[in-house]
């Protein structure tokens, strides 16, 4: 019974719940970034490079037969080196890394501002001399 109790305490701790929320948000964020790269940025990059579709760049390793698209080569069972998809994934990664960097930079900036706020001053207590004088006066009265 001790194992189940320990696991229950672990599972409902705030850190595990925060991590679960982070994973779910990360999955949704990944879909947004993938769409940003595939639907917005890569067409612009393709236009700038003369209409190259990066996801369709490949080298046929299985023979001399020519295929028009990567999908056609893969459908035919040809062994292909799909370096265009690799380029796409690198761009995707760089954009995700940049977004996370900017987000963490903003969070760190907010945390620094919070730390820089001065703590309210505690009321100044009596000095050592004042305490000693008070003790002296109390002893004189006795």
């Amino acid at each position: 019974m001790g194992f189940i109790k320990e696991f229950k305490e672990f599972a409902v701790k705030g850190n595990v719940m925060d991590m679960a929320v982070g994973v779910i948000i990360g999955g949704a964020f990944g879909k947004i970034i993938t769409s940003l790269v595939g639907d917005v940025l890569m067409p612009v990059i393709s236009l700038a490079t003369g209409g190259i579709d990066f996801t369709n760049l490949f080298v046929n390793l299985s023979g001399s037969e020519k295929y028009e698209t990567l999908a056609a080569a893969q459908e035919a069972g040809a062994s292909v080196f799909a370096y265009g998809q690799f380029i796409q994934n690198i761009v995707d990664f760089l954009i995700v890394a940049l977004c996370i960097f900017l987000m963490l930079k903003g969070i760190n900036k907010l945390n620094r501002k919070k730390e820089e706020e001065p703590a309210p001053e505690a009321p100044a207590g009596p000095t050592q001399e004042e305490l000693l004088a008070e003790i002296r006066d109390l002893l004189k009265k006795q």
Side-chain angles (χ1 to χ4, degrees), residues 88-109:
Q88 173 92 14
N89 290 337
I90 289 173
V91 171
D92 197 6
F93 168 77
L94 291 175
I95 291 171
V96 169
L98 177 66
C99 290
I100 291 173
F101 170 75
L102 293 174
M103 187 173 62
L104 289 177
K105 187 174 179 176
I107 289 170
N108 288 337
K109 190 174 185 178

Side-chain angles (χ1 to χ4, degrees), residues 112-119:
R112 267 189 253 120
K113 283 184 181 179
K114 194 183 297 183
E115 290 172 3
E116 290 173 3
E117 291 177 5

Side-chain angles (χ1 to χ4, degrees), residues 30-86:
K31 288 181 182 180
I32 292 170
I33 295 301
T34 300
S35 176
L36 175 68
V37 171
D39 301 332
V40 177
L41 294 178
M42 290 311 279
V44 173
I45 292 171
S46 179
L47 183 65
T49 58
I52 298 174
D53 178 14
F54 284 97
T55 58
N56 224 10
L57 297 177
F58 68 97
V59 174
N60 183 4
L61 301 174
S62 60
S64 61
E65 188 172 344
K66 290 276 190 182
Y67 298 100
E68 291 296 318
T69 64
L70 176 62
Q74 289 174 334
E75 190 175 305
S79 178
V80 294
F81 178 65
Y83 64 93
Q85 188 62 46
F86 182 69

